[in-house]
Amino acid sequence: MQFEFEVGESAYIFDKAAIASNRNRSMYPWLKTGDGRMDEAEENGPLCWVCRALNFDYLFAVPTADMVIPADNVPENVPTPVSLWGGLCLGPVRDLHDKSFCRFCSFVLGSLRRLSAAPHDPLAICAVQPNTRVYLRGLIRGTTLSFRRTQPAEKPQENAPVHLFIYLRNERESLKSSPLLRPIQRVGAAEELPAAVGIASGRLVPGDEAGLGVIRRWISACRGAAPQPRPAPPSIRLIDIFKGSVTDTFDEPPEYVALSYVWGNAKNLTLTAQTAAALQTPGTITADNPDMPLTIRDAILACQVLSLPYLWIDSLCIEQDSPLKMATIGQMDTIYGCARLTLVAAAGSDAQAGLPGVRAGTRPRRQRAIRIDKSVLLAEVLPTFKAVVDKSIWNSRGWTYQERILSGSKLYFTDEQAYFECPHGYSCEDNLCGPHESDAALGHAADGVVIDDSPPGGVLDDKYQIEQKRILDYVIYEGVVREFTARTLSYEEDVEAAFQGVANALRLRIFNGSPVLFGIPLCYIDLALLWYPSGRLQRRRRRVEHGLGDPGHFPSWTWMGWKGKFLVESVGNKSERMLSRVEWLDARDRKSSLSKASTGMPPPSWPGWSQWTRHVDQHDFGFYTSNALESSTEKHFCHPVPACASGPPLPVDPVSGMLFMRAEIARMALSVQHTGRWDQESACADGDHVLATCQLWVLSDAGKRAGIAHVSGEWLLGKDTAAARSGLSFIKLSQQTFSLNESDPAWDGELCIYRGAPGSPAINPQEPLGPEDEVFDQAAYDQNICWCLYNVLLVEWVEGIAYRVGIGYVHIDAFDSASPEWMTVGLG
């Protein structure tokens, strides 16, 4: 058998023959002890001589990077100690084919064959590259796999849960370039594994049926560890599982389970005024009712076997033809947030896909396993939670995003296995440890040394959490918008309803009660209006008919009004480097001004400053915490956000979506040619502007490059002459610094604030930018002015109403010299 290690650019190989004659076999603990004799007759047995030599007890306890090669086997010019970074070589792929009698070699090849659907089939590559070899590489299992333990081993063998990865490597490839392909784990109940292993690795998943015992333990453990959910809404309808009917008659709302699934094109029995009487009749809603799609029938069956008495399903618990339907849909944050558990149908593409594993014979993909000897049972590690759930059709839908992010505990049914996620972490059927295990199961060795300090089931993905400790509130919002807008809706008009539950949760749990208006938080309206598009944009249709603006579309000023991709990311705390330059008006009279503190960074005269504390993080970015909020040190704000009372004045008409302000507007031009900057979209470089957001120069009256605007390529095609791109309206929204922290002319490094007054000379002068980084003509406009940019909104006018067509920024001197005028503006 060959063992390989790499030092610098050189690889070294030594084989089994050099070890077999060595009397001190304990120097090679990854090999079995014994006399080392392997004659040809034994090679016809169940394992070949290579696999018979492997000490699997050791391989599943110590990562290969911690296996030290004896100094006698290391070339003289190589510094010691040397570890087996390269893993253990089983030989060329063609040799494993020739040894089909060997159970483990056949198991390894079978695992590689299951990758045949991948873009690069390993076995097909081997046909072209016959010298490709197969390796085993042991990595410590945790939230992320690591090559070494978190602390150095203090003993020759200090136990840790290890996965063995099968990977392929051509003799010309470096170790770092070799992808890890298939993981193997040691399986069995924890009490069945030998004491030498110390920590159990995995569980053998039953064939085509979910492990209900495991699922019951997950639910029970979470019930004891998690806080009780909020009481259900008093008007909620639920399915009484054991009566088989819909009911809304309760002394008090009971504990219930919700279902999240994809409707698709499947025929679905729904609650309507016509079907209400029948659905309220006991015995109508059952697991064998053929009028209901399979997913709903499986959900009922799952509740029966798990002893969960009440179930909420949208199609059967929301009256579909009621005028109150949309009001109920707007309460999804309450409905899913109050559920004890959400069942997720993460397989298939519609409501006929079912919940794999609930019924025998409905889970098509089985775990491959092999027994090495009486004490060693190995199995493939089934696909990870992210690989299955995050890539499912269910997770690509706009409606299911709010169901995922708003639910507390979730039980996912997939073709591979069941996965469980709760506020403590997640787990799956082939993992012995769940998110509620004791310290002993979390990776603590007997002597108290922590092997892996992360939960064995894995930590939660931040992008599916509304509340995140020590993360800026606006950064959480950005992540929500980015994730939601990447999803699909069967009906584009549903965007507001599909986001409403998330908006409610953002308002209550992130923005201190400040409302979210058509996807834009009022307390960050100056910042949130600066969303940048990417790729093709198209206006989004709207069902609501009204008398103002464009009744057929959502408002143009919000990302919700467009179909496309959006870049809402900012680095650091952009609130501290931006000053509002508009006056937001109460939409009810279009005259009264809203307070600055309700729409952005409060002014210095704001009386509430004493209730907030400013901090500076390790990157010198500022953030704020409230002295009045519980766990205030965990909740970070970009700027103080006053508690918002119910029914505050709003700048948006809730029906039409019109946004009202007083602002300065200047007439400027756009260049005919694109900027050609490094960050210009590739589609523009290829001339395919319809599929792109185009980046153009904003031009002053003298034709100087004064700033940059981003506009829709389709809009630009109608403006193909210099005349058509002149005299355009730019609304000044806000004033901002030129750059970040020490790279900005207004930055004070000692105080960690932007101390320079807007428009004043730089207190931290900067060198000129290179041509590829210029955002304006540096020969015409000075970057060493504090707060030298205006954020501007490019608009077009239709019957006195302004509509957004682009976003950008302009040097303050160029805008101020364009004779701007104050106007009352209605943005449609």
Side-chain angles (χ1 to χ4, degrees), residues 100-111:
S100 59
F101 63 86
C102 175
R103 293 199 312 277
F104 188 68
C105 288
S106 296
F107 180 78
V108 169
L109 285 176
S111 296

Side-chain angles (χ1 to χ4, degrees), residues 273-494:
Q274 184 177 0
T275 62
L279 293 176
Q280 292 170 356
T281 302
T284 303
I285 302 177
T286 63
D288 55 2
N289 185 338
D291 293 331
M292 295 187 301
L294 182 59
T295 296
I296 292 178
R297 286 183 278 143
D298 280 355
I300 294 168
L301 181 58
C303 288
Q304 290 173 347
V305 298
L306 295 172
S307 300
L308 303 170
Y310 290 98
L311 174 64
W312 186 90
I313 301 176
D314 54 3
S315 60
L316 297 174
C317 297
I318 299 176
E319 191 170 339
Q320 302 297 314
D321 55 359
S322 167
L324 300 177
K325 174 183 175 179
M326 296 311 298
T328 304
I329 289 176
Q331 299 177 349
M332 290 298 103
D333 59 313
T334 302
I335 291 173
Y336 281 94
C338 293
R340 166 55 71 181
L341 175 71
T342 296
L343 306 179
V344 178
S349 58
D350 60 27
Q352 283 293 355
L355 303 181
V358 170
R359 300 173 192 263
T362 57
R363 192 154 66 182
R365 298 172 193 170
R366 298 195 177 191
Q367 187 181 32
R368 297 179 67 251
I370 177 177
R371 183 170 292 281
I372 300 298
D373 56 39
K374 291 182 180 180
S375 66
V376 179
L377 177 62
L378 309 181
E380 289 179 340
V381 176
L382 291 174
T384 64
F385 177 83
K386 287 179 174 292
V388 177
V389 174
D390 286 6
K391 295 181 180 180
S392 64
I393 292 177
W394 171 85
N395 200 52
S396 71
R397 307 294 292 165
W399 281 103
T400 59
Y401 175 70
Q402 66 174 352
E403 295 161 12
R404 180 172 186 178
I405 199 172
L406 298 173
S407 297
S409 298
K410 296 170 281 286
L411 178 60
Y412 300 88
F413 292 90
T414 75
D415 287 337
E416 286 78 10
Q417 60 177 327
Y419 300 87
F420 182 74
E421 182 183 14
C422 72
H424 309 95
Y426 62 85
S427 192
C428 50
E429 288 184 78
D430 75 336
N431 191 343
L432 274 174
C433 297
H436 313 96
E437 304 296 336
S438 65
D439 285 349
L442 290 179
H444 293 262
D447 58 2
V449 177
V450 178
I451 302 298
D452 188 334
D453 59 359
S454 59
V459 296
L460 301 173
D461 192 332
D462 285 345
K463 69 181 179 181
Y464 297 114
Q465 307 300 313
I466 286 285
E467 294 177 282
Q468 300 175 37
K469 295 180 180 179
R470 296 180 292 277
I471 301 296
L472 287 173
D473 55 346
Y474 192 77
V475 172
I476 296 174
Y477 165 76
E478 286 180 322
V480 166
V481 173
R482 182 171 56 250
E483 183 66 22
F484 178 78
T485 55
R487 292 164 176 254
T488 59
L489 291 165
S490 297
Y491 303 98
E492 61 183 89
E493 303 92 335
D494 287 344

Side-chain angles (χ1 to χ4, degrees), residues 520 524-531 557 584 659 733 804 807:
I520 301 293
Y524 286 99
I525 190 168
D526 295 293
L527 177 55
L529 288 179
L530 303 181
W531 56 268
W557 49 267
W584 297 108
L659 175 63
L733 294 176
R804 168 178 166 148
I807 192 75

Side-chain angles (χ1 to χ4, degrees), residues 46-61:
L47 294 174
C48 68
W49 74 269
V50 173
C51 299
R52 286 172 63 90
L54 294 175
N55 182 352
F56 284 95
D57 285 339
Y58 190 86
L59 293 180
F60 281 97

